[in-house]
């Protein structure tokens, strides 16, 4: 009973300025039609988070429905095999629906219901946010339309079926690069058209203010739990590592440790095949300041301000902009960012499967891969906490296809 | 007095409905866009909006999305668009408004953009995803360069914001007459009249209403509530269907003349003579529309 206290929501600890800026990043770059609805959303959110009833309702769902707190445990065989520091895993993959996305989806769905909106639209890349949103809508009796890029529908087919089984309509997006960015465009077009009765449930710390704040606050339960659990197990870790697409799982876990100055916070972007335009999604490695889909942050773009295509083996990291608060944390020197390649992530995926019996999402495998590299450079007494943000069932087909490719290549040699 | 002020002053003094046309730069290519702008100008467009193609046009419907993709496939950029306008300016009577998403302008740098746009003879700038709250520095930079910053108003815009947009904007206000993305419709939004009345209650600044306008009847109806109608997707559809064919310009000219004919307008009877005179005065030709 008392254990679930650590899963209670906490709001208002680290707000951006009143215009939604974290330093030079964030803001509200939206067409005029969305200005008033986003203003109304901000007011509704600020009211909700002051209301103890809202916090209690969310807390109840997080414990009795999501199954929080999720465990934190050492990856003993993996750590032994890698050598050096001990690797700890925060098991968001064990949350209901199999990823951290449900924390935010439930928070926002409760807010939507409170605002009297009966229809939800959402975008999804890997499908985890779509599944989480469809789940929250099923639970609360809301209509749900999820936009998904055609390429992502092909590579995350399992999640498409899951969303449909949960009663959501999955809307295929054929425009642009047919991935997450294009799904966001289409979801925003829907919202701008149906804004009076529709709530846009954005899945990461992106988009116009207040989304980056709101999504981080709904995900910060990860960090609060992890800090309490780590202390119980011997103290705060030396390093916290998380993968960064938009960056909601990373900010969620970082938030718990941001005041522990000695704890290094490391975000891991998708290095894809190589840091060459079009072949990766590492915004801090190849991006510049820009405005995409409502927010000002680091963006992968060409010299003319057009958004560049991105690539990652993981659909959830395959996005051209990074959450504005990450850009600010980097400027402040409070968090550091690196990237790992598709191949490194796949290697980590296999290692975690074989040595721990845990099949991670390919997104989360990026964080595991970096933790494995880092462990070897640290003392045996050091501890690295990895946010294992999701489970990998959805990626089995992609990984199997790669296995077929490599064994076919091997056979020909 | 800017060229936009003069254009709307003239529309008002002639007691007719103005026409603001939108086309995407580089659709089908920039050489052709220059010829299209000349055609629209000669056919009677009062303001020429030139859209800058962008990779992520989230406020646009399928027609303008496709135009943007065609233009980008041909390599059209903001810099090339400004260069084209610079070349075309001397051939055009009507003021030119650059219509862009924020990111291409910010990537060029607002100062550089303002200087280049001003050199090219651009009259106004509308940055679609720079609402008033984000447009402070941008607006100042545009004004310094002699460019009119133009703001959008939508059915969700409060009366207080309408007032602010009128204070901060120059040239004209662009009213979106319905919720949603760009695109032609067979019916005008029910709310268009109410919205125009709401804006009129706050300001007498020139007002153009758009989103969904495609017929002479729409233009005429808008003329009862606003200074001008904006036609975008419907024109872009004509360009798309012609697919670079040599008949494109004559099709566009006929369409614009149809839109500005006043046909179906309550003002038609009184405006008809003025209309003919206007065409003669500006183009030195008698309108050859079958109804004349």
């Amino acid at each position: 009973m008392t254990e679930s206290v650590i899963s209670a929501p906490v709001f208002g600890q680290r707000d951006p300025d009143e215009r939604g800026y974290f330093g030079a990043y964030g803001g509200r770059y939206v067409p005029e039609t969305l200005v008033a609805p986003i203003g109304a959303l901000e007011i509704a959110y600020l009211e909700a988070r002051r209301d103890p009833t809202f916090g209690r309702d969310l807390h109840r769902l997080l414990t009795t429905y999501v199954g929080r707190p999720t465990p934190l445990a050492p990856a003993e065989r993996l750590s032994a095999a890698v050598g050096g520091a001990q690797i700890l895993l925060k098991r968001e993959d064990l949350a209901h629906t199999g990823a951290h996305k449900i924390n935010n989806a439930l928070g926002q769905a409760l807010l939507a219901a409170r605002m009297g909106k009966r229809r939800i639209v959402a975008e999804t890349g890997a499908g985890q946010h779509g599944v989480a949103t469809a789940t929250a809508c099923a639970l609360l009796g809301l209509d749900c339309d999820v936009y998904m890029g055609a390429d992502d529908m092909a590579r995350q087919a399992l999640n498409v079926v899951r969303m449909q089984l949960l009663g959501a309509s999955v809307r295929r997006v054929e425009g642009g690069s047919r991935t997450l960015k294009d799904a966001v465009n289409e979801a925003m077009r829907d919202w701008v058209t149906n804004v009076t009765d529709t709530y846009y449930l954005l899945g990461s710390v992106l988009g116009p203010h207040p989304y980056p704040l709101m999504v981080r606050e709904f995900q910060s339960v990860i960090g609060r739990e992890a800090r309490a659990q780590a202390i119980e197990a011997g103290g705060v870790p030396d390093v916290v590592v998380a993968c960064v697409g938009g960056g909601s799982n990373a900010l969620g876990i970082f938030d718990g440790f941001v005041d522990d100055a000695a704890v290094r916070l490391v975000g891991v972007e998708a290095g894809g095949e190589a840091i060459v335009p079009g072949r990766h999604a590492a915004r801090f490695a190849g991006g510049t300041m820009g405005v995409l889909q409502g927010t000002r942050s680091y963006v992968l773009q060409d010299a003319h301000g057009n958004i560049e295509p991105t690539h990652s083996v993981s659909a959830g990291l395959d996005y051209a902009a990074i959450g504005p608060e990450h850009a600010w944390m980097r400027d402040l020197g409070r968090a550091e960012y690196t990237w790992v390649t598709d191949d490194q992530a796949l290697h980590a995926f296999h290692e975690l499967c074989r040595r721990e019996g845990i099949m991670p999402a390919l997104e989360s495998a990026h964080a595991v891969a970096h933790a494995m590299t880092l462990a070897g450079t640290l003392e045996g007494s050091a501890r690295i906490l990895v946010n294992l943000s999701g489970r990998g069932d959805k990626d089995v087909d992609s990984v199997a296809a790669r296995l077929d490719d490599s064994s076919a290549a091997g056979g020909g040699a | 007095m800017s060229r936009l002020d003069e254009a709307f002053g003239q529309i008002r003094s002639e007691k007719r409905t103005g026409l603001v046309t939108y086309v995407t730069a580089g659709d089908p290519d920039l050489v052709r866009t220059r010829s299209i702008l000349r055609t629209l100008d000669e056919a009677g467009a009062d303001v020429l909006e030139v859209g800058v193609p962008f990779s992520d046009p989230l406020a646009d419907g399928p027609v303008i999305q496709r135009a943007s993709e065609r233009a980008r496939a041909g390599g059209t950029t903001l810099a090339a668009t400004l260069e084209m306008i610079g070349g075309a300016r001397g051939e055009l009577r009507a003021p030119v408004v650059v219509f862009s998403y924020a990111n291409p302008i910010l990537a060029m740098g607002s100062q550089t953009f303002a200087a280049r746009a001003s050199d090219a003879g651009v009259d106004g700038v509308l940055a679609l995803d720079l609402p008033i709250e984000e447009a402070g520095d941008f607006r100042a930079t545009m004004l310094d360069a002699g460019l009119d910053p133009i703001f959008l108003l939508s059915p969700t815009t409060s009366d207080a914001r309408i007032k602010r947009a009128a204070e901060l904007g120059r040239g004209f206000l662009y009213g979106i007459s319905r919720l949603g993305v760009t695109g032609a419709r067979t019916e005008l939004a029910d709310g268009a009249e109410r919205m125009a009345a709401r804006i009129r209650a706050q300001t007498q600044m020139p007002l153009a209403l758009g989103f969904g306008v495609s017929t002479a009847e729409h233009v005429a109806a808008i003329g009862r509530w606003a200074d001008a109608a904006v036609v975008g997707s419907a024109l872009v559809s004509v360009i798309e269907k012609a697919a670079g064919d040599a008949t494109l310009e004559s099709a566009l000219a006929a369409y614009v003349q149809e839109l500005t004919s006043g046909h179906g307008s309550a003002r038609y009877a009184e405006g008809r003579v003025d209309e003919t005179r206007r065409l003669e005065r500006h183009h030195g030709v008698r309108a050859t529309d079958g109804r004349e």
Side-chain angles (χ1 to χ4, degrees):
Chain A
M1 281 300 279
T2 52
E3 206 193 11
S4 76
V5 169
I6 62 173
S7 308
V10 175
F11 297 111
Q13 299 296 300
R14 260 178 283 282
D15 285 358
D17 73 17
E18 71 276 11
R19 292 173 59 220
Y21 277 88
F22 297 94
Y25 311 99
R28 193 175 274 174
Y29 294 83
V30 293
E32 178 63 24
T33 301
L34 290 181
V35 170
I38 286 179
L41 170 64
E42 181 188 10
I43 289 166
Y45 175 63
L46 296 178
E47 273 173 14
R49 74 178 195 175
R50 277 196 302 268
D51 179 353
T53 312
F54 181 77
R56 271 198 299 275
D57 288 349
L58 180 57
H59 188 203
R60 181 175 48 79
L61 289 179
L62 289 176
T63 51
T64 63
Y65 187 70
V66 178
R68 303 206 72 91
T70 59
L72 182 149
E76 286 174 2
R77 280 184 16 89
L78 179 72
S79 301
V82 172
Q86 185 184 41
I87 297 172
L88 307 167
L89 302 175
K90 175 62 173 166
R91 298 291 305 280
E92 288 301 294
D93 61 314
L94 293 178
H96 178 45
T97 72
H100 70 291
K101 294 292 188 186
I102 191 74
N103 304 325
N104 167 55
L106 279 173
Q108 287 197 55
L110 280 177
L111 179 63
R114 188 184 163 96
M115 292 173 73
K117 309 278 184 182
R118 304 307 301 172
R119 175 174 179 262
I120 302 288
V121 291
E123 80 297 335
T124 197
Q128 287 302 120
H129 174 58
V131 168
T133 303
T135 299
C137 289
L139 179 69
L140 300 178
L142 304 170
D143 293 335
C144 181
D145 288 293
V146 180
Y147 289 91
M148 191 169 187
D151 287 3
D152 288 340
M153 285 180 74
R155 60 178 163 170
Q156 310 277 211
L158 173 67
N159 276 344
V160 175
V161 179
R162 290 174 76 199
M163 286 183 268
Q164 288 163 340
L165 291 172
L166 291 160
S169 301
V170 181
R171 300 188 170 223
R172 177 189 300 269
V173 179
E174 298 281 359
S177 58
R178 297 148 55 102
T179 58
L180 178 55
K181 163 176 88 69
D182 312 286
V184 174
N185 285 337
E186 228 25 70
M188 285 191 136
R189 288 178 187 127
D190 184 316
W191 192 30
V192 90
T193 308
N194 301 297
V195 71
T196 44
D197 68 346
T198 295
Y199 181 96
Y200 179 26
L201 207 160
L202 185 59
S204 194
V205 285
L206 291 164
H209 175 64
Y211 285 105
L213 166 67
M214 185 164 64
V215 177
R216 188 251 286 149
E217 291 203 305
F218 287 137
Q219 293 295 0
S220 66
V221 64
I222 304 171
R224 270 193 310 283
E225 288 178 5
R227 187 170 187 278
Q229 292 166 325
I231 287 171
E232 187 141 324
V236 292
D238 298 275
V239 189
V240 177
V241 180
C243 65
V244 184
S248 69
N249 91 80
L251 282 181
I253 196 161
F254 289 177
D255 199 58
F257 299 94
V258 92
D259 294 332
D260 297 311
V263 178
R264 281 173 66 192
L265 307 175
V266 183
V268 184
E269 297 184 89
E273 295 160 349
I275 304 299
V276 167
R279 293 174 65 193
H280 71 103
R283 287 67 46 104
F284 288 137
T288 47
M289 186 98 97
V291 167
L292 179 63
Q293 293 170 338
T295 193
R296 186 165 192 260
S297 187
Y298 275 78
V299 177
L300 291 169
Q301 57 182 324
D302 66 18
H304 304 288
N306 285 298
I307 307 309
E308 266 168 1
T310 50
H311 163 80
S312 170
V313 67
S314 66
L317 304 185
D318 198 352
Y319 183 71
I322 191 165
E325 193 174 355
H326 282 292
W328 185 56
M329 300 254 284
R330 179 170 174 265
D331 278 6
L332 292 177
R334 184 61 195 95
E336 53 197 284
Y337 295 84
T338 184
W339 48 268
V340 307
T341 63
D342 286 354
D343 287 346
Q344 288 173 291
L346 285 158
H347 174 68
F349 176 94
H350 290 298
E351 285 293 296
L352 203 65
C353 284
R354 290 191 197 134
R355 300 198 186 274
E356 297 291 336
I358 296 171
M359 191 178 294
L362 284 174
E363 291 78 10
S364 319
H366 284 70
V368 175
H370 183 67
M372 289 165 64
T373 306
L374 199 57
T377 69
L378 299 174
E379 303 277 323
S381 59
R383 303 195 311 160
I384 302 173
L385 171 60
V386 174
N387 193 10
L388 200 74
S389 56
R391 59 191 283 163
D393 306 49
K394 69 190 178 59
D395 295 314
V396 165
D397 286 347
S398 305
V399 174
R402 292 241 174 182
L403 288 175
D404 291 347
D405 285 353
S406 56
S407 56
Chain B
M1 196 178 203
S2 76
R3 211 182 267 132
L4 279 165
D5 294 335
E6 285 170 18
F8 280 95
Q10 193 166 4
I11 291 165
R12 284 185 174 179
S13 71
E14 290 169 6
K15 295 185 169 55
R16 61 185 172 83
T17 307
L19 183 70
V20 179
T21 59
Y22 169 96
V23 294
T24 301
D27 174 30
D29 59 58
L30 277 172
V31 173
R32 206 61 187 272
T33 302
R34 183 166 166 175
S35 156
I36 289 168
L37 291 176
R38 218 162 39 222
T39 302
L40 296 171
D41 189 57
E42 284 168 8
D46 295 286
V47 176
L48 302 166
E49 280 185 356
V50 179
V52 177
F54 180 52
S55 53
D56 293 84
L58 59 78
D60 283 302
V63 169
I64 293 177
Q65 285 176 49
R66 289 198 299 272
S68 203
E69 282 176 18
R70 289 193 294 273
R72 281 184 8 93
T76 298
T77 61
L78 173 59
T81 300
L82 293 177
E83 211 168 293
M84 180 276 294
I85 293 170
R89 180 68 266 181
E91 309 159 0
L92 304 173
R93 168 194 56 92
V96 173
V97 172
V98 169
F99 192 105
S100 179
Y101 287 84
N103 202 50
I105 295 175
L106 299 177
M108 179 179 277
S110 294
Q111 300 274 357
T112 308
F113 167 78
R116 289 199 202 174
S118 178
D119 287 350
V122 169
D123 298 287
V125 180
L126 197 160
L128 198 98
D129 46 354
L130 277 186
I132 292 168
E133 290 77 3
E134 300 291 354
D137 295 348
F138 177 80
R139 174 182 174 274
T141 306
M142 296 307 115
L143 285 174
D144 286 348
L147 300 164
D148 286 336
I150 293 156
F151 290 105
L152 287 167
L153 304 172
S154 109
T156 60
T157 306
S158 68
D159 291 348
R161 277 178 71 79
I162 291 172
K163 207 166 178 184
R164 273 188 80 196
E167 283 159 12
L168 297 173
R170 296 285 182 275
F172 67 103
L173 291 167
Y174 184 146
I176 301 168
S177 57
R178 63 176 165 73
L179 300 176
V181 295
T182 54
R185 297 287 192 283
T186 49
E187 302 289 329
L188 274 185
D190 292 342
E193 179 174 9
R194 193 168 58 247
M195 189 182 160
R198 232 161 38 83
I199 295 168
R200 277 287 169 259
Q202 300 299 325
T203 175
Q204 285 309 304
M205 190 167 173
L207 172 65
L209 278 186
F211 270 43
V213 179
S214 65
T215 69
E217 285 74 16
H218 295 164
V219 173
I222 283 174
R224 291 194 284 272
W225 319 313
D227 296 276
V230 187
V231 181
S233 296
L235 277 173
V236 173
S237 285
V238 174
I239 295 170
E240 180 173 46
K241 284 192 193 96
D245 192 271
T247 59
L248 168 60
E249 280 78 0
S250 56
L252 285 174
Y255 185 37
V256 167
Q257 281 157 10
E258 161 70 24
L259 289 173
T260 55
S261 65
H263 180 68
S265 163
R267 267 186 195 167
Y268 180 52
E270 65 184 41
R272 187 166 180 251
V273 177
D274 287 345
E275 174 68 13
T276 311
R277 281 204 199 110
R278 184 179 70 87
L279 288 171
E280 287 173 354
R281 188 163 54 248
H282 288 302
H283 311 304
V285 292
R286 274 198 70 81
T288 52
D289 188 285
R291 280 181 296 273
E292 288 298 326

